[in-house]
Amino acid sequence: MSEWVRVCAAEEIDEEDLIRFDHGGCSFAVYNTEKGFFATDGYCSHEAQHLEDGLVMGTVIECPLHQGRFEITTGKALSAPVCVDLQTYPIKLEDGDIFIRL
Ligand code: FES
């Protein structure tokens, strides 16, 4: 069963940045991009590296460990060494807060 879970106030995520969000034993990355807010798995699909220290460029996240890139809006793996897509999660804004559907 899916549920909407509050992440934080929208203003807590800088533009072209992301935060780490842990919930229920899982970890997620929540982004503020030029196209709005998005959420993906928190860990890179290449190795167990969290994306929280990665670089957001437009709607692309670059992993801090080996610089693999993913499209944030779809989770698609864009460049080596990553080849497995990230799962994405619906986001909604309500009264200035960000919610993720898990
Ligand atoms: S751990 Fe992310 S590219 Fe290697």
Side-chain angles (χ1 to χ4, degrees):
M1 195 180 81
S2 65
E3 59 172 337
W4 288 100
V5 177
R6 182 184 179 278
V7 176
C8 64
E11 65 188 19
E12 291 178 48
I13 312 179
D14 293 337
E15 286 181 25
E16 279 218 286
D17 203 1
L18 72 153
I19 62 159
R20 174 179 180 147
F21 177 64
D22 296 328
H23 181 79
C26 296
S27 192
F28 307 92
V30 181
Y31 308 84
N32 182 359
T33 78
E34 61 193 18
K35 291 192 176 169
F37 293 94
F38 296 90
T40 69
D41 290 328
Y43 282 94
C44 183
S45 60
H46 181 229
E47 288 181 9
Q49 169 66 45
H50 205 284
L51 296 168
E52 63 185 320
D53 292 325
L55 184 63
V56 176
M57 298 164 289
T59 58
V60 173
I61 173 71
E62 183 179 85
C63 177
L65 191 54
H66 306 116
Q67 289 71 53
R69 293 181 178 187
F70 301 91
E71 169 59 40
I72 291 168
T73 61
T74 62
K76 185 167 178 46
L78 297 177
S79 65
V82 298
C83 54
V84 177
D85 297 347
L86 298 174
Q87 186 168 342
T88 59
Y89 303 87
I91 286 283
K92 72 174 179 180
L93 279 170
E94 213 170 85
D95 297 329
D97 289 338
I98 299 174
F99 291 79
I100 183 172
R101 196 171 79 205
L102 303 176

